[in-house]
Amino acid sequence: LAHAKEAAEALQGSSASIELPAARLAQARALAHLGRWGEAMQLLDSAMTARYVLTPSEILQEAADVHGWYGTADTAQDLLEEAARSAEITGDGWRVSAAQNLIRLRRFDEASDLLERVTPGSYNAECAHLARFLVVRAQLGISRGDPDARQLAAAAVLHAESQAADFWWHAARLLAAVTSSNDKLNAAVESVGQMDPAILSVVADQLVLRLGDIEHPASELIRDEAQRRPDRWRPALRHAIEHLGPRTVVVAAQLLDTMGDQEDIDRLRRLAKSLRSKSVGSDLGRRLARRLAPRVFVEDQGRVTLKVGDRLIPGTEMRRKVLSLLCYLLTRPDLSATRDQVLDALWPEMEPDMAANSLNQTVYFLRRVFEPEYREDVSAGYVHHDSDVLWLDPELITSRSRLCRDLIRTCASTGSPEDVQALSEAYVGRFALDFAYEEWASPYRDSLHAAYLEVVERAIHADASSGHYDRGIAIARRAVDVDPEAEQLELALLRLYHVTGAHAAAAEQYGHYATVLRDELGIEPPTLETL
């Protein structure tokens, strides 16, 4: 990467335009190998825009190799087919690249046909071409289960080593180990995985065939590499789950559970049901569902609004009791309450049986606010209703009021201006005005607001005493905006304006202060000079 970057910088200002995209392609390949995928894609795009200085097929083929080794086979196939359309004749280099990608796509007969058309040793435009050809031939043999797969892998090892083609030598070593004993397999994975873990991805499809035989610490190296490049490993793991033996299936499923995408949740849950009689695997898919679930943030200061991932749901669009249940649980320690507490708070006038039935219906609708296609077996578990306890998952759901409560605790322990500033910006109003007259909401709303005012008053006093007037003014101004009736805060703001010489601002603020005292409290205000 360092050499390719240096080359690109040197060529940037020269007339060697034909070499510049080649240097960028070398950078992209190195970045992809190191797992810096976003940067690699930017450089590939840059090279693609310079097609006029290289034949398009060369750039497309190299880009396809990057995707084929480290990314998605479908993208690589599209690039290879475009390269074939742009070239009058496709050479052996293209055939080997295409065959290697077709093996990933499990189109073995097509891959075999391409390899049979390659003349080993006759094409020298690609570094280590013959070593790569032998590796790809071994990959095909292993993937198809050919009886000569071991001999093919051994031949690839010997040639790549003799040519000092380290990239392909490491890959060939892994392929040879796949055809060998468990001990040799684990030793090779550990050796290559510690030295150059990206090579594990180059032969991922073949390694997955023996996944059930790979033990710690080699298994940890594979897990780390798979999680680094999930797009590369997911198809191989899915195939293993659907077609391989029980031991490999469970290991592949456990790995996919850490890095799968939405479509894998159903796949893993189906597998979990088939394994239900066994102690391992019964929870497959649940962790993945939680990891992929959109997080919920409840704007519960002022009028209530929910943000579920990218979806914005005004509280007015929800059933009132559903919104009540959500907000009630947000006021509770650990977001949980007993069923009796919920019934007493939300259905105090109902008979117990009718109230319990209403609660069950409300839970039903609340779950579908978060997951419109809710199914218990694949749910991320936003709302739990087990036995006599009801709770929200704090890893999936939070709210502005809880964020502020945590900041208040932090301010109480640290007292740092930064924490106070964070609280000042986060707190935007009293809790859940939709339920301003509900008895269950008042204690939480009042205690949170009082705690906020206490932190702010202490901070303003400290800033006034230490001479940080501008900071004190900013905090006081925000607090007065939040609570225009907070007389002491407005008085503190007036005094800070005065001490900083902001007389016009002080006079403007005094007008509001005097009006509140007269109209709201029936008190004649003292003069501004007296204050």
Side-chain angles (χ1 to χ4, degrees), residues 124-169:
N124 60 5
E126 180 186 35
C127 182
H129 167 73
L130 181 54
R132 180 181 185 182
F133 168 77
L134 295 173
V135 165
V136 174
R137 194 172 62 165
Q139 286 182 293
L140 177 61
I142 292 170
S143 297
R144 288 196 305 194
D146 292 345
D148 62 346
R150 176 174 293 187
Q151 289 74 24
L152 293 173
V157 171
L158 288 174
H159 179 80
E161 185 177 18
S162 70
Q163 294 293 304
D166 287 347
F167 184 95
W168 296 115
W169 177 57

Side-chain angles (χ1 to χ4, degrees), residues 394-426:
E395 293 183 13
L396 300 177
I397 302 175
T398 190
S399 70
R400 183 169 295 277
S401 69
R402 294 187 68 81
L403 170 64
C404 291
R405 192 175 69 178
D406 291 341
L407 285 170
I408 288 167
R409 290 198 189 103
T410 301
C411 291
S413 62
T414 67
S416 75
E418 294 76 17
D419 292 331
V420 174
Q421 179 67 25
L423 174 62
S424 175
E425 294 173 358

Side-chain angles (χ1 to χ4, degrees), residues 26 95 161 177 250 265 267 298 346 390 415 435 440 521:
R95 294 188 185 98
E161 185 177 18
V250 171
I265 297 172
R267 177 180 287 108
V298 184
L346 303 185
L390 186 68
F435 306 104
W440 57 264
L521 302 178

Side-chain angles (χ1 to χ4, degrees), residues 174-195:
L174 290 169
L175 294 176
V178 169
T179 68
S180 300
S181 66
N182 289 356
D183 289 344
K184 290 182 178 179
L185 174 61
N186 280 277
V189 170
E190 189 173 349
S191 172
V192 175
Q194 290 176 345
M195 183 184 306

Side-chain angles (χ1 to χ4, degrees), residues 1 30 100 106 136 146 208 274 400 429 431 461-463:
L1 176 61
Q100 190 170 35
R106 306 194 64 76
V136 174
D146 292 345
V208 166
S274 71
R400 183 169 295 277
F431 172 75
H461 178 74
D463 285 342

Side-chain angles (χ1 to χ4, degrees), residues 197-253:
I199 303 294
L200 300 175
S201 286
V202 176
V203 295
D205 301 84
Q206 291 73 47
L207 286 174
V208 166
L209 298 175
R210 294 283 304 277
L211 205 54
D213 298 321
I214 300 175
E215 302 171 351
H216 183 83
S219 61
E220 296 299 304
L221 293 167
I222 285 183
R223 184 200 63 188
D224 292 344
E225 177 61 16
Q227 291 178 343
R228 190 177 298 118
R229 308 175 205 273
D231 289 340
R232 173 65 183 88
W233 286 76
R234 285 187 194 119
L237 294 171
R238 290 165 183 160
H239 177 265
I241 289 170
E242 293 166 4
H243 298 285
L244 299 185
R247 186 175 178 186
T248 296
V249 164
V250 171
V251 177

